[in-house]
Amino acid sequence: MDKVHDILSKSQLFGGLPEDHLEEIKRISVHKHFNKGEIIFFDGDEGTGFYLVIDGRVNVYKLSSEGKEQILHIIEEGETVGAVPVFSGKSFPANARTISKSHLLFFPREKFIHLIANKPSLTMNILALLSMRLREFTIQVENLSLKGIPGRLAAYILYLSQEQGNRDVIKLNISKIQLANLLGTGPESLSRALGNMKGRKLVEEDGATIRLVNRGGLEELAENGKTPVQKPFCG
């Protein structure tokens, strides 16, 4: 099985579809190759189609009026880029740029909508994808508006742990600058929050590797913005 077929069959949008449907989907797709740092689309561009990452990673972000970048999503292999505006018939609400050299499949909007017209299983997958995106935005708005930087960082570390198989040793998949942008802060504030976590024996850090030392404390920090106070032993 080639990689394109393998990624399609395991993706959230196309996973579980019969082989004949996957073949039809492959036939309407267009291969797109991007170097690291290339723009895929700009905020406000017409949503003429959407993308699926076959290889590489994509950063979806907004720019403030002062030019500050706020990362909304880091898109990995098997995930879609720009699907929501395509299905709503509107323009792209954010920018998308490759983080690394990337291979994407592009699905033209008109051809794709025509294809799914009589495929209820694919339509249900699309609804699931849109629901997931709405939930991600809701969580991100909650994190940015209600949680302090330590709570946001703890939540992201726990998210990565879950994504990487609930492991206690995880790899950061983006740079510290990108992580700061994703959490809505600056590199200095991120470094202080991480240093504070290390000082409180919640995590240990070795480059891009983070070890979860006290998962319960991280969960408390992510939920309430603080870790439980350790009571002294009184013998």
Side-chain angles (χ1 to χ4, degrees):
M1 183 182 294
D2 66 87
K3 183 171 184 178
V4 171
H5 188 93
D6 186 48
I7 294 290
L8 284 174
S9 64
K10 293 178 180 178
S11 67
Q12 182 186 27
L13 190 56
F14 303 124
L17 295 178
E19 285 295 319
D20 59 330
H21 287 188
L22 290 177
E23 289 302 319
E24 289 182 82
I25 288 163
K26 284 173 67 176
R27 280 197 291 271
I28 68 165
S29 66
V30 180
H31 292 265
K32 300 279 189 177
H33 296 272
F34 297 87
N35 291 318
K36 177 181 178 180
E38 277 198 76
I39 295 293
I40 300 169
F41 54 77
F42 287 103
D43 187 349
D45 284 353
E46 183 183 356
T48 57
F50 69 97
Y51 301 81
L52 185 137
V53 180
I54 299 299
D55 191 38
R57 285 185 297 161
V58 174
N59 169 14
V60 178
Y61 64 99
K62 293 280 286 187
L63 287 175
S64 70
S65 56
E66 295 81 24
K68 183 179 178 181
E69 185 175 302
Q70 171 63 57
I71 296 178
L72 304 177
H73 298 290
I74 301 293
I75 308 296
E76 308 275 354
E77 284 185 11
E79 298 180 340
T80 57
V81 186
V84 175
V86 167
F87 299 133
S88 65
K90 297 183 178 179
S91 59
F92 293 116
N95 309 283
R97 179 181 60 218
T98 56
I99 296 175
S100 59
K101 188 175 181 179
S102 301
H103 172 198
L104 311 182
L105 284 187
F106 175 71
F107 297 92
R109 181 177 184 272
E110 291 185 6
K111 288 184 178 180
F112 189 78
I113 290 177
H114 177 75
L115 179 65
I116 67 174
N118 297 306
K119 293 180 173 55
S121 56
L122 183 50
T123 303
M124 291 303 295
N125 283 6
I126 292 169
L127 290 175
L129 174 69
L130 298 182
S131 297
M132 184 191 73
R133 286 286 185 260
L134 178 60
R135 181 174 179 273
E136 288 175 351
F137 275 120
T138 301
I139 291 172
Q140 188 167 33
V141 168
E142 177 186 329
N143 286 341
L144 292 176
S145 60
L146 301 179
K147 291 182 181 178
I149 296 165
R152 299 177 210 168
L153 178 57
Y156 186 73
I157 289 172
L158 291 167
Y159 163 77
L160 280 185
S161 174
Q162 182 181 14
E163 286 290 296
Q164 296 176 20
N166 286 317
R167 296 167 55 192
D168 286 334
V169 178
I170 62 171
K171 290 280 190 181
L172 288 179
N173 55 2
I174 53 178
S175 70
K176 293 286 182 62
I177 292 176
Q178 290 168 335
L179 177 56
N181 289 339
L182 180 64
L183 299 180
T185 187
E188 297 83 5
S189 297
L190 175 65
S191 294
R192 284 195 296 270
L194 186 56
N196 185 262
M197 281 185 182
K198 291 188 290 185
R200 293 157 75 179
K201 306 299 183 185
L202 297 177
V203 300
E204 292 177 352
E205 180 193 20
D206 182 11
T209 301
I210 292 180
R211 186 167 80 88
L212 283 67
V213 178
N214 182 351
R215 184 180 288 269
L218 282 172
E219 290 172 347
E220 184 72 18
L221 180 59
E223 183 67 25
N224 300 317
K226 58 184 178 181
T227 51
V229 176
Q230 299 293 324
K231 295 182 179 179
F233 178 68
C234 299

